[in-house]
Amino acid sequence: MEQLIYMDNAATTPVKPEVFEAMRPYFTEVFGNASGIYRFAGKAAKAVSDARDIVADFLGAKSKEIYFTGGGSESDNWALKAVAEAYEKKGKHIITSKIEHHAILHTCEYLEKKGYEVTYLDVDEYGVVDLEQLKRSIRPDTILISIMFANNEIGTIEPIREIGEIAHERGVLFHTDAVQAYGHEEINVDELHIDLLSASGHKINGPKGVGILYIRESVKIGSFIHGGAQERGRRAGTYNTPGIVGFGEATRLAKEHLAERKAKETALRDKLIQGVLEQIPYARLNGHPTKRLSNNANFCFRFIEGESLLILLDQNGICGSSGSACTSGALDPSHVLLAIGLPHEIAHGSLRLTISEENTEEEIDYVVGKLKEIVGRLRSLSPLYEDFVKESK
Ligand SMILES: *Cc1c(COP(=O)(O)O)cnc(C)c1O
């Protein structure tokens, strides 16, 4: 096969061989329904419970506060819809940000149609939410603040502790979509004042279709999937034992190697950012220069269409994305880039490269070189660029 340089880890990651090996017996040998009474089922139940303990330990939570779900989108839907329903007597106002994942934004739009009111907080030029605006937006009928831990497009890490403190001082619940941060950043739900937290397996070298929702014990919300008594009656459905085991093992590995992996990724990321900004004119880094995920680099190249760039990168064996996997294919520029104040024409020329510890320095050099070549080629075909060069002479 031709070479493949994978730099789209924010979209999904490969299952690590160790994770796959840990899951394997639960497809074939240990297939029993984890809810069964016989000892054979007990083996599956034990595996589910061990995975739950690993996740709880990683988050500084209690095991009974961890609920396995069908992924990040389900966790986000559950958190928002269930809090809205359970706390509607207190009020119908929710606060979120303009740069959330669509699993949050589209759920908010759904709730607006059901009579809830949603405030979408602004972010600054780096994508950091405005804490003063947050304080001003809280009302007596505010029931939930949902702000993502780290942005999936531009990698900016939000001031989660401060947001949690503000929420709790004002008696409002705090949910965070931590899908991009889980396994990459240290997270302690008590220290950060988090009441609900979403994470997903396939973003952390675990399997697709499994996630978690952390629900603080004191939060009284209803079930999302009605049926059997699984997950303390709050999320019915036969246990996805292999998936849950995979999520647990991926979490265990992520925790064990967190610091080492972060250091390695940060060095590669900074080499990539520096290379691009130094070698390619009119390139811009999107997101915060330092408060960003260790694997995220997001650029805008003026006078370029993001789509054309991705196609030419792909022809050179490089997988990147124009923003989020969910918006690619759509012609609208990213809502995140518009929220940080970029004009449409610049937001169109964006490129997200999300690396992993598996990438090498040689790959970074190769990608920077190819990018320089491709951006130069595309600009040479652009009448806008021609005019711009003439004018600036
Ligand atoms: C990927 C992602 C999701 C969705 O998770 P799935 O497991 O794919 O449903 C939600 N939020 C963020 C920030 C993400 O990056």
Side-chain angles (χ1 to χ4, degrees):
M1 204 179 107
E2 58 176 314
Q3 71 159 351
L4 181 79
I5 298 183
Y6 186 72
M7 294 196 177
D8 200 15
N9 286 277
T12 197
T13 60
V15 171
K16 278 216 163 101
E18 300 96 308
V19 172
F20 184 61
E21 286 311 318
M23 293 170 68
R24 191 199 290 274
Y26 297 93
F27 286 105
T28 49
E29 298 145 48
V30 195
F31 62 85
N33 188 318
S35 306
I37 297 295
Y38 34 84
R39 277 166 298 157
F40 176 57
K43 277 194 177 182
K46 169 87 169 55
V48 168
S49 135
D50 288 349
R52 201 186 306 281
D53 292 346
I54 294 171
V55 175
D57 175 57
F58 180 64
L59 291 173
K62 296 179 191 139
S63 293
K64 62 179 175 188
E65 296 175 314
I66 305 300
Y67 295 82
F68 288 107
T69 67
S73 300
E74 181 186 320
S75 300
D76 284 346
N77 271 259
W78 184 8
L80 266 59
K81 290 176 188 168
V83 167
E85 196 184 2
Y87 290 81
E88 71 180 342
K89 289 220 168 60
K90 184 190 169 204
K92 290 188 140 192
H93 180 233
I94 294 168
I95 300 173
T96 185
S97 82
K98 288 186 176 162
I99 62 164
E100 299 295 311
H101 189 273
H102 284 125
I104 294 291
L105 291 178
H106 289 166
T107 305
C108 285
E109 284 166 24
Y110 166 83
L111 289 170
E112 283 177 307
K113 289 202 192 97
K114 296 267 168 195
Y116 290 83
E117 216 183 307
V118 182
T119 300
Y120 298 89
L121 297 179
D122 293 316
V123 295
D124 68 12
E125 58 183 313
Y126 299 118
V128 179
V129 294
D130 184 339
L131 294 177
E132 290 310 312
Q133 192 192 13
L134 169 64
K135 287 183 199 159
R136 284 198 307 273
S137 304
I138 298 175
R139 321 188 307 210
D141 63 340
T142 306
I143 51 174
L144 179 70
I145 295 169
S146 179
I147 304 286
M148 66 200 323
F149 205 112
N151 184 267
N152 49 304
E153 293 189 31
I154 58 175
T156 300
I157 298 175
E158 299 298 335
I160 293 300
R161 183 190 306 266
E162 287 84 343
I163 296 168
E165 276 167 7
I166 294 168
H168 283 186
E169 266 164 28
R170 306 285 296 269
V172 178
L173 293 177
F174 176 36
H175 166 257
T176 186
D177 173 344
V179 172
Q180 291 291 333
Y182 183 91
H184 291 264
E185 294 292 317
E186 305 273 1
I187 303 177
N188 182 295
V189 289
D190 286 339
E191 283 169 18
L192 301 177
H193 309 279
I194 295 166
D195 297 305
L196 302 110
L197 176 146
S198 310
S200 171
H202 74 102
K203 304 286 176 78
I204 56 159
N205 300 107
K208 294 173 180 48
V210 59
I212 57 133
L213 181 63
Y214 156 77
I215 309 175
R216 186 174 288 282
E217 208 179 352
S218 54
V219 176
K220 304 295 177 216
I221 62 171
S223 83
F224 190 55
I225 307 280
H226 301 273
Q230 293 90 355
E231 301 299 84
R232 303 163 60 77
R234 278 173 149 174
R235 201 279 183 183
T238 301
Y239 283 108
N240 168 12
T241 314
I244 291 170
V245 167
F247 192 101
E249 181 65 5
T251 300
R252 192 186 68 74
L253 289 169
K255 182 182 181 196
E256 192 174 303
H257 303 291
L258 197 143
E260 180 194 333
R261 167 184 179 174
K262 203 167 155 176
K264 198 170 167 203
E265 284 180 352
T266 303
L268 289 172
R269 176 201 73 188
D270 291 346
K271 181 176 164 69
L272 174 63
I273 292 174
Q274 202 188 355
V276 167
L277 297 183
E278 277 176 12
Q279 297 191 38
I280 305 177
Y282 315 112
R284 173 188 199 283
L285 176 71
N286 298 314
H288 199 280
T290 52
K291 282 180 234 157
R292 71 185 303 136
L293 291 169
S294 55
N295 67 357
N296 176 294
N298 187 311
F299 305 100
C300 278
F301 300 101
R302 288 179 68 185
F303 315 107
I304 300 254
E305 277 290 334
E307 296 287 308
S308 335
L309 188 57
L310 290 178
I311 292 165
L312 292 175
L313 284 171
D314 182 38
Q315 285 175 5
N316 288 282
I318 302 165
C319 308
S321 111
S322 59
S324 78
C326 321
T327 47
S328 60
L331 282 173
D332 296 338
S334 137
H335 65 289
V336 177
L337 297 180
L338 296 180
I340 62 172
L342 294 186
H344 274 68
E345 67 274 17
I346 294 183
H348 265 303
S350 73
L351 171 70
R352 179 185 74 180
L353 296 173
T354 43
I355 56 162
S356 80
E357 56 188 335
E358 305 292 330
N359 290 121
T360 62
E361 294 201 14
E362 291 70 39
E363 287 178 339
I364 301 287
D365 288 334
Y366 174 79
V367 169
V368 173
K370 279 293 168 203
L371 254 177
K372 186 178 176 184
E373 197 182 301
I374 293 168
V375 168
R377 183 149 32 113
L378 288 172
R379 280 183 181 158
S380 72
L381 302 170
S382 157
L384 285 175
Y385 185 63
E386 211 175 296
D387 292 347
F388 173 80
V389 174
K390 267 189 217 140
E391 275 165 33
S392 47
K393 267 191 187 141

